[in-house]
């Protein structure tokens, strides 16, 4: 474990747990995804349901999850457990966006499982034309702080989001939501992380992760 990792584990240990929140990686949707890993018939069924649901999402998130708007997240290549957990957060109010809440509430368990599997299977691309000086500054910041949770390649883990190839505008907006704690997003980990960041740090790190494959 890196020193940064050890420090963050200490910080997390001290953070109060969200008593009402179900543990990430549990619940009916996760159970379906888990079951599909050893059941090809079910996998096919869920992927078909997910692809159909994604036709609606494509209006904003783009074909195969490559959104063209700076403020709409790329879903391609995103980790499935993270997608499922965010869907649950919108539905139970821990993450606020009236439109997303409505859309995700309308999905069945199988459609939610399927859309997560569908998007996770798409390949993500770097966002072109990030300013080199900003990228370099962001690389250094990322290596000091973010790497402990989001990984050396910024592709995250099962429960940690992939940041590589994400729109810098969306990354910046998300960091600001965590920072101002305006109720749009909630995460004890990220609220602690952004406390030490200036707007210049946020912009640099956003450019860096956007530039990654
Ligand atoms: C009208 C446009 C629109 C449509 C249609 C839409 N979304 Fe979204 N979606 C957004 C926006 C904007 C955000 C970012 C909001 C925020 O900051 O919380 C978002 C965020 C998300 C996130 C969080 C991603 C992350 O990286 O944290 C998920 C998951 C998601 N949408 C899934 C879906 C799915 C699945 C569908 C279709 C069933 C869908 N969306 C349809 C606009 C849309
Ligand atoms: C202690 C672990 C931890 C560290 C360190 C950390 N993150 Fe995170 N990050 C998380 C978790 C957990 C989430 C999911 C939060 C949620 O559910 O909304 C997240 C979410 C995010 C998101 C939202 C992604 C999306 O798709 O919406 C961004 C952007 C982000 N982190 C950027 C960063 C940056 C930049 C750094 C370094 C300055 C960093 N993180 C350091 C744990 C961490």
């Amino acid at each position: 474990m890196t020193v940064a990792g050890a420090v963050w584990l200490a910080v997390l240990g001290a953070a109060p747990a969200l008593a009402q929140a179900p543990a990430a990686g549990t619940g009916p949707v996760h159970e379906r995804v888990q079951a599909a890993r050893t059941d090809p018939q079910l996998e096919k069924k869920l992927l078909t349901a997910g692809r159909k649901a994604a036709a609606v999402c494509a209006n904003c998130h783009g074909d195969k999850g490559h959104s063209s708007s700076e403020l709409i997240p790329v879903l391609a290549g995103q980790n499935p457990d993270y997608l499922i957990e965010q869907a649950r957060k919108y539905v139970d109010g821990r993450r606020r966006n009236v439109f997303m809440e409505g859309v995700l509430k309308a999905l069945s368990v199988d459609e939610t499982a399927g859309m997560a599997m569908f998007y996770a299977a798409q390949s993500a691309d770097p966002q072109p034309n990030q300013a080199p000086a900003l990228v370099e500054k962001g690389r250094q910041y990322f290596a000091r702080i973010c790497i402990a949770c989001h990984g050396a390649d910024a592709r995250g883990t099962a429960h940690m989001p992939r940041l590589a190839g994400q729109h810098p505008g969306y990354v910046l907006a998300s960091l600001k939501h965590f920072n101002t704690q305006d109720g749009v997003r909630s995460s004890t980990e990220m609220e602690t992380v952004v406390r030490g960041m200036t707007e210049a740090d946020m912009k640099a790190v956003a450019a860096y992760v956007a530039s990654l494959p």
Side-chain angles (χ1 to χ4, degrees):
M1 155 143 348
T2 60
V3 173
V7 169
W8 284 113
L9 281 183
V11 169
L12 294 182
L18 265 173
Q20 77 281 19
T26 63
V29 179
H30 286 285
E31 279 162 25
R32 291 298 268 169
V33 173
Q34 203 59 40
R37 288 192 178 125
T38 53
D39 181 346
Q41 287 286 97
L42 179 62
E43 185 185 30
K44 213 171 144 205
K45 182 179 166 214
L46 295 182
L47 275 171
T48 304
R51 204 174 290 118
K52 263 193 207 144
V56 175
C57 325
N59 288 316
C60 296
H61 291 282
D63 187 34
K64 297 182 178 171
H66 292 274
S67 89
S68 51
S69 157
E70 267 286 304
L71 290 177
I72 302 181
V74 170
L75 302 180
Q78 190 52 276
N79 302 318
D81 286 4
Y82 171 75
L83 290 174
I84 294 166
E85 181 61 11
Q86 294 308 302
R88 180 154 66 183
K89 282 188 156 186
Y90 281 124
V91 169
D92 70 21
R94 282 176 293 151
R95 185 166 176 181
R96 290 249 152 79
N97 180 282
V98 177
F99 188 83
M100 284 311 310
E101 184 191 317
V103 172
L104 292 167
K105 267 187 182 155
L107 296 187
S108 68
V109 166
D110 281 10
E111 285 168 335
T112 307
M115 75 80 187
M117 288 162 58
F118 169 74
Y119 284 123
Q122 310 306 318
S123 58
D125 300 323
Q127 300 290 339
N129 307 324
Q130 303 305 317
L134 210 52
V135 168
E136 176 52 24
K137 188 175 169 227
R139 187 186 64 75
Q140 292 174 20
Y141 198 93
F142 187 92
R144 261 203 334 273
I145 309 284
C146 324
I147 200 168
C149 295
H150 293 281
D153 52 10
R155 290 183 189 173
T157 62
H159 303 294
M160 294 289 169
R162 175 194 182 102
L163 303 176
Q166 189 53 272
H167 286 298
Y170 170 75
V171 170
L172 182 63
S174 295
L175 293 173
K176 286 183 174 171
H177 289 309
F178 291 124
N179 193 29
T180 54
Q181 296 186 30
D182 54 9
V184 172
R185 299 197 67 156
S186 57
S187 157
T188 12
E189 292 99 322
M190 283 308 300
E191 282 157 21
T192 309
V193 166
V194 293
R195 222 167 277 155
M197 295 182 89
T198 63
E199 175 144 357
D201 295 332
M202 293 182 189
K203 284 186 173 153
V205 96
Y208 170 65
V209 296
S211 75
L212 297 174

